[in-house]
Amino acid sequence: KRAKANGGTELYQPRAFDLARQQFTIETCLRRAIEAERLTLAYQPVIELQTGEISGFEALARWREDGVDIAPSTFIPVAEESGLILPLGRWALDEATRTLRAWDRRAGMTLPVRMAVNVSAIQVTRDDVPAMLEEAARVHNVAPERLVLELTESAIVADPDRAAKAMEAIRSVGATIALDDFGTGYSNLAYLQRLPIDALKIDQSFVTGMLGDRDKVAIVRAVLSLAEALGLRTTAEGVETLELSQTLAALGCTRAQGYFYAAPLDAEAAYAYWSRSNSA
Ligand code: C2E
Ligand code: CA
Ligand code: CA
Ligand code: CA
């Protein structure tokens, strides 16, 4: 009876099983990697377009297993589906804050930079992000004003009321909020005036290759003027060339981030980048 019921699915069932098994393997390895603190963070500089100064760094999770780098686009979705994003997210916030403090110590001064950390929609709905933030700031003796939480529109869509409460609480702790991957989600724009958002990050899909693509230029212009009207800062992601950085500056974009300035760097190289640009 069972064989008959499954008869029609015979062809793709083994494949579905393989995918499930692969996912399970990644999940098992990831759990161990988080527990053993084998993940690291890379730090990508964010540049103030008007002055060329470093505005801050974005912390990005990195996972190397048996000498092979596993991309965040592979393991972050697995982490989100399995709930491992909760310990991963806690670790990332703590680690990024600890690194910022370590840089301060090394420089013998409070570095005039902010540290941005990515927060998954699942953390916003299932964890107490404001409390985590407060704790990381307190434990590492970092002013919360130096911390930026990058949230995506999906956090708002998932649970608008909870997202609004979390965002208010994050702001009352003193940290700021950047809306990540702006323009790629489905949410309605009304939340932009209701929610305490400080900055929009324009997704790299609109930025990279924008020159010579009139539609992309139109979208970027529209986002920049919307942001200006609402008093929000803007960061362009995926800035890979000098020409692009100059165009974005001319269009009034506040900040830029991308390979033109630097790829995500390990903590050591990121500190060196700051110290070089500070002494120049
Ligand atoms: P994102 O937050 O939009 O991060 C920007 C991504 O663009 C990073 O990819 C970065 O390495 C890449 N990038 C930077 N400059 C350039 C450039 O000039 N050109 C191009 N083509 N790409 C550039 P990455 O590190 O692979 O991370 C991918 C995504 O994974 C992130 O996108 C973010 O959504 C997620 N992610 C990474 N770390 C974390 C984390 O700790 N927590 C959470 N929740 N998500 C994370
Ligand atoms: Ca981000
Ligand atoms: Ca982004
Ligand atoms: Ca992105």
Side-chain angles (χ1 to χ4, degrees):
K1 196 180 177 187
R2 201 164 163 235
K4 200 177 175 187
N6 291 337
T9 60
E10 250 170 34
L11 277 177
Y12 65 79
Q13 225 175 357
R15 232 182 116 201
F17 178 72
D18 279 353
L19 283 175
R21 193 171 56 185
Q22 190 184 24
Q23 156 124 3
F24 181 74
T25 307
I26 297 175
E27 191 186 317
T28 307
C29 291
L30 182 59
R31 175 170 288 117
R32 288 195 197 119
I34 294 168
E35 279 165 6
E37 298 192 52
R38 278 190 283 117
L39 297 191
T40 56
L41 289 175
Y43 302 91
Q44 186 173 37
V46 178
I47 308 300
E48 211 63 53
L49 275 167
Q50 299 307 320
T51 61
E53 282 171 0
I54 300 177
S55 141
F57 291 84
E58 176 180 1
L60 293 154
R62 292 290 177 263
W63 180 23
R64 202 177 168 88
E65 191 80 32
D66 297 331
V68 179
D69 289 317
I70 302 163
S73 57
T74 301
F75 71 82
I76 294 291
V78 174
E80 290 183 325
E81 278 168 42
S82 60
L84 286 172
I85 196 69
L86 301 179
L88 191 160
R90 282 180 176 269
W91 166 81
L93 181 57
D94 182 77
E95 180 69 13
T97 311
R98 177 205 313 276
T99 299
L100 186 56
R101 189 61 184 152
W103 290 345
D104 289 349
R105 287 222 185 79
R106 196 160 157 186
M109 64 183 275
T110 302
L111 258 61
V113 299
R114 287 172 204 246
M115 181 64 81
V117 180
N118 290 285
V119 176
S120 162
I122 292 163
Q123 290 178 266
V124 175
T125 42
R126 299 205 355 228
D127 216 339
D128 189 348
V129 175
M132 279 163 52
L133 170 73
E134 205 162 19
E135 187 181 335
R138 183 175 47 76
V139 166
H140 298 297
N141 194 18
V142 162
E145 287 71 17
R146 299 171 72 200
L147 301 174
V148 182
L149 297 190
E150 297 195 0
L151 275 64
T152 58
E153 289 164 283
S154 56
I156 299 163
V157 176
D159 189 342
D161 290 341
R162 188 168 169 115
K165 286 204 188 83
M167 289 163 103
E168 298 290 353
I170 287 165
R171 279 280 288 267
S172 71
V173 172
T176 52
I177 296 169
L179 207 58
D180 209 350
D181 301 345
F182 185 73
T184 63
Y186 298 99
S187 47
N188 89 52
L189 290 176
Y191 67 80
L192 282 181
Q193 52 154 60
R194 276 202 324 266
L195 296 176
I197 295 161
D198 302 280
L200 301 181
K201 297 196 76 172
I202 308 174
D203 193 68
Q204 65 190 42
S205 61
F206 304 116
V207 176
T208 315
M210 163 186 136
L211 302 172
D213 185 332
R214 291 169 61 185
D215 294 345
K216 286 184 181 173
V217 173
I219 291 170
V220 170
R221 275 183 190 277
V223 173
L224 292 174
S225 74
L226 178 68
E228 189 179 6
L230 294 171
L232 304 173
R233 305 293 166 90
T234 42
T235 301
E237 301 185 312
V239 177
E240 296 183 354
T241 64
L242 171 66
E243 199 187 0
L244 200 42
S245 78
Q246 289 171 336
T247 303
L248 288 161
L251 290 174
C253 186
T254 323
R255 300 172 187 136
Q257 180 179 354
Y259 299 158
F260 170 64
Y261 302 101
L265 305 166
D266 65 35
E268 183 68 32
Y271 179 82
Y273 186 95
W274 176 82
S275 107
R276 240 188 348 265
S277 88
N278 189 54
S279 63

